[in-house]
Structures are given as structure tokens and as C-alpha cells.
């Protein structure tokens, strides 16, 4: 670690508690809450083979559903797909899925790649493909297909997001079945951009693989940063300030910088109020602005770390007394996974 009367759904996880509606909804007044962040990471490689990261994220996010009613999303890392990449694509409601997916197949083939499998989730497709060329060209080519949007491209992770709460997301995408080494999630109350799937969190750092961000707050220099990246040839899919954070981090990491150093620099380069968590292929980190306006809680043991906007989410996976830490203003923390062979996951 680096310094710088309803009952909730109860998954059958060891030690997960239920609680009464009174305890749940009085944890924080409704009028004071906005969006919620959750993340979990298993530190030791051998223990990561069968960890129910998807299921645990579902429970954490559902416990904070009062913080965001518009959408829910997760990124689960540490998977093995049996292909070079997995691409999460959503088809526009104005287009039929068949011509869009055929267009994606053709776009991949035109660059010398091949589609190995496609999993169907309604408007969403999970596409496993083999490709050895430039990822920017692949991303641009897929995005040029009319009616196609990209939620993520990863070697070992994928973004799964949709409107509704965590249980509604799971009914459509079955992410609670996905195991991994670490993951993050978000429940969203839209403030600066529209309510739709595209503007939901997490945000993938186009076109970098396996780098995603969840963010609670608002960047006041968002437009300036976005213009600077666009002038350098970067492409954005949304008007959400959180996407800029993801690209900012990925750009610096691509120059072989350490995650902790990049997050520390972000405290000076990003203006506004923010608490964000970033996931990479080998770990995750968090950063909190100089005003420390957004709530954030950490519970950690020798094997596992969990972070969330509210402790109620963490108690879904930490049943016992664990030291509670609240990061302070202008603070950065990072955690790494001791990588074991990645988990092979396929959803039907």
C-alpha cells in the first residue's frame, strides 16, 4: 500500500449480513448522497483463482443503490478469455444487431484479426478476438461501424454496465458468475451528462486495454484537458468528465510510469472535487482531491482490500471487525495483485 422494514438481498457468501431498512436508509440522509463507488482486490496470487469478485461487487453496489438510481456498472479484472482480447460492444437502438455485428466481424478481418466467439446479451455483445496489430486502429475500425459503441477492450478485464440497479444489471449480464482478481463498480446519479448506458461508469480508457475508472465528483478543467488530448489525436466516446480521467491515467502509464506516481500527479493536474478508483491489469489505486469532499472508506486485511463510498457496502464482504480507514485530502493509495494464472471464464 502506498501513501501519497425491508431486508436487502443476501447472497450466500461467507459472513455477508442482512440489515433492516431503518439501519440501511439512515446510514446517510438521501439529500446528501450522490453516486457510489465500490472496489475489491485480492492481493495473493494463489487465492485469486476462485474469488467471487462479480458476486461481491453486486452485493456492495446493491447496498448503495440509494446513491444512484440511473445506472450500475462494473469492471472485473484477472480473467482469461482464451483470446487476445475481449471487446464489449453495445448496439444502438436504431440499428439491428445482425448488421452491426457483421460489420464488426468485417472490420476485425480487414485488419488481419479474427473473431473467435460472440456472447449475446440483448443489445450487448461480448466478442472474443485474436489480433496482433495496433489497438488504436482496431478500436477506430470497430467504432466506425454504424450503430456500434465500445464499452471496453481488454486482455484480462471487461466493463459491464447498464441502466438500473445491481440486481437488474445481473439479470441481464450475469456478472455475478464472473470470478477474478479484482474489480470495481459504480452506481450513478447523473449530474453533468445524460442518463443512458454510454455515459454510465466505469469508463474505459480508449484505446488502452484493461484501464478503467470509476469517479465520484466533478472536474472543473474537463473541457481544457479533453481539448488537449484531442489535439494529440485521442478520441472520446462521451461527454463525461470521468472518461478524461481514464485517458489521462492510461496515457501516462503507457510511458512506463508507476501507477502511484501518476495518481499523485493527477492531484495537481485535475481541478475540482473528485474521488476516483482506477483498475489496471495488475492492481488498482485511488486518489482523493485536496478538499476531501467525497466520502470514501477502506477496509483491509493481509489478503484483501475493499473500498467504497459507504461502510455499509464493505460490510457485505467484511463480516468481522477490520480496521476502518478514511483517506484524507490530497491522498493516494495503490494495491497490487500477486498474479497467478488467470481465471478462464465463459458465459453462455
Amino acid at each position: 500500500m502506498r501513501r501519497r422494514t425491508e431486508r436487502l438481498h443476501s447472497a450466500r457468501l461467507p459472513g455477508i449480513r442482512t440489515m433492516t431498512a431503518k439501519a440501511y436508509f439512515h446510514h446517510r440522509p438521501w439529500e446528501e448522497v450522490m453516486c457510489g463507488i465500490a472496489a475489491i482486490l485480492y492481493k495473493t496470487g494463489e487465492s485469486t483463482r476462485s474469488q467471487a469478485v462479480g458476486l461481491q461487487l453486486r452485493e456492495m453496489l446493491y447496498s448503495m443503490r440509494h446513491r444512484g438510481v440511473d445506472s450500475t456498472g462494473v469492471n472485473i479484472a484477472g480473467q482469461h478469455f482464451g483470446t487476445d482480447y475481449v471487446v464489449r460492444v453495445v448496439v444502438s437502438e436504431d440499428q439491428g444487431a445482425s448488421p452491426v455485428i457483421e460489420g464488426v466481424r468485417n472490420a476485425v478481418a480487414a485488419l488481419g484479426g479474427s473473431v473467435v466467439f460472440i456472447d449475446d446479451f440483448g443489445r450487448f455483445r461480448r466478442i472474443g478476438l485474436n489480433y496482433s496489430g495496433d489497438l488504436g486502429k482496431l478500436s477506430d475500425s470497430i467504432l466506425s461501424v454504424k450503430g456500434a459503441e465500445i464499452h471496453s477492450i481488454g486482455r484480462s478485464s471487461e466493463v459491464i454496465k447498464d441502466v438500473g440497479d445491481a440486481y437488474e444489471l445481473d439479470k441481464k449480464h450475469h456478472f455475478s458468475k464472473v470470478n477474478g482478481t479484482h474489480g470495481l463498480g459504480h452506481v450513478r446519479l447523473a449530474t453533468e451528462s445524460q442518463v443512458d448506458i454510454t455515459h454510465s461508469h466505469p469508463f474505459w480508457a480508449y484505446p488502452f486495454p484493461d484501464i478503467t475508472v470509476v469517479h465520484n465528483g466533478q472536474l472543473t478543467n474537463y473541457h481544457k484537458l479533453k481539448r488537449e488530448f484531442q489535439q494529440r489525436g485521442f478520441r472520446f466516446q462521451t461527454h463525461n468528465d470521468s472518461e478524461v480521467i481514464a485517458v489521462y491515467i492510461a496515457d501516462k502509464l503507457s510511458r512506463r510510469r508507476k501507477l502511484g506516481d501518476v495518481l499523485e500527479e493527477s492531484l495537481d493536474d485535475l481541478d475540482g472535487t473528485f474521488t476516483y478508483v482506477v483498475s489496471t491489469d495488475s492492481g488498482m489505486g485511488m486518489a482523493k482531491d485536496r478538499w476531501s469532499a467525497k466520502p470514501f472508506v477502506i477496509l483491509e486485511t493481509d489478503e484483501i482490500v475493499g473500498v467504497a463510498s459507504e461502510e455499509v457496502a464493505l460490510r457485505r464482504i467484511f463480516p468481522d471487525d477490520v480496521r476502518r480507514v478514511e483517506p484524507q485530502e490530497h491522498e493516494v493509495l495503490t494495491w497490487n495483485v500477486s498474479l497467478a494464472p488467470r481465471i478462464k471464464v465463459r458465459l453462455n
Side-chain angles (χ1 to χ4, degrees), residues 133-197:
D134 180 79
L135 201 55
K137 291 181 180 179
L138 176 67
S139 304
D140 290 345
S141 185
I142 293 175
L143 202 59
S144 69
V145 176
K146 186 177 181 180
E149 298 176 2
I150 306 173
H151 281 178
S152 66
I153 297 180
R155 296 188 183 96
S156 61
S157 68
E158 58 184 323
V159 169
I160 304 167
K161 58 185 179 179
D162 209 333
V163 295
D165 67 28
Y167 268 75
E168 292 170 324
L169 180 72
D170 194 33
K171 287 178 183 177
K172 295 180 183 178
H173 299 273
H174 314 299
F175 74 93
S176 65
K177 298 178 182 179
V178 180
N179 292 355
T181 55
H182 56 295
L184 49 74
H186 188 275
V187 292
R188 180 174 182 243
L189 179 66
T191 55
E192 288 298 303
S193 54
Q194 64 200 73
V195 179
D196 64 6
I197 298 168

Side-chain angles (χ1 to χ4, degrees), residues 105-244:
R105 282 185 180 274
N106 293 336
V108 173
L111 293 175
S114 61
V115 172
V116 178
F117 67 82
I118 300 179
D119 294 329
D120 186 340
F121 298 94
R123 286 180 56 201
F124 303 82
R125 294 296 189 278
R126 186 174 187 256
I127 304 173
L129 56 88
N130 290 330
Y131 173 73
S132 59
D134 180 79
L135 201 55
K137 291 181 180 179
L138 176 67
S139 304
D140 290 345
S141 185
I142 293 175
L143 202 59
S144 69
V145 176
K146 186 177 181 180
E149 298 176 2
I150 306 173
H151 281 178
S152 66
I153 297 180
R155 296 188 183 96
S156 61
S157 68
E158 58 184 323
V159 169
I160 304 167
K161 58 185 179 179
D162 209 333
V163 295
D165 67 28
Y167 268 75
E168 292 170 324
L169 180 72
D170 194 33
K171 287 178 183 177
K172 295 180 183 178
H173 299 273
H174 314 299
F175 74 93
S176 65
K177 298 178 182 179
V178 180
N179 292 355
T181 55
H182 56 295
L184 49 74
H186 188 275
V187 292
R188 180 174 182 243
L189 179 66
T191 55
E192 288 298 303
S193 54
Q194 64 200 73
V195 179
D196 64 6
I197 298 168
T198 303
H199 287 81
S200 304
H201 296 233
F203 284 94
W204 164 59
Y206 188 114
F208 302 93
D210 299 312
I211 299 178
T212 56
V213 163
V214 289
H215 166 222
N216 186 8
Q218 181 181 9
L219 298 188
T220 55
N221 62 339
Y222 154 70
H223 294 289
K224 176 178 179 292
L225 290 172
K226 185 175 181 178
R227 283 195 301 269
E228 290 175 354
F229 280 117
Q230 288 173 326
Q231 289 168 0
R232 293 174 51 200
F234 286 87
R235 186 169 185 173
F236 293 85
Q237 296 189 91
T238 75
H239 302 291
N240 192 296
D241 55 353
S242 306
E243 187 181 11
V244 170

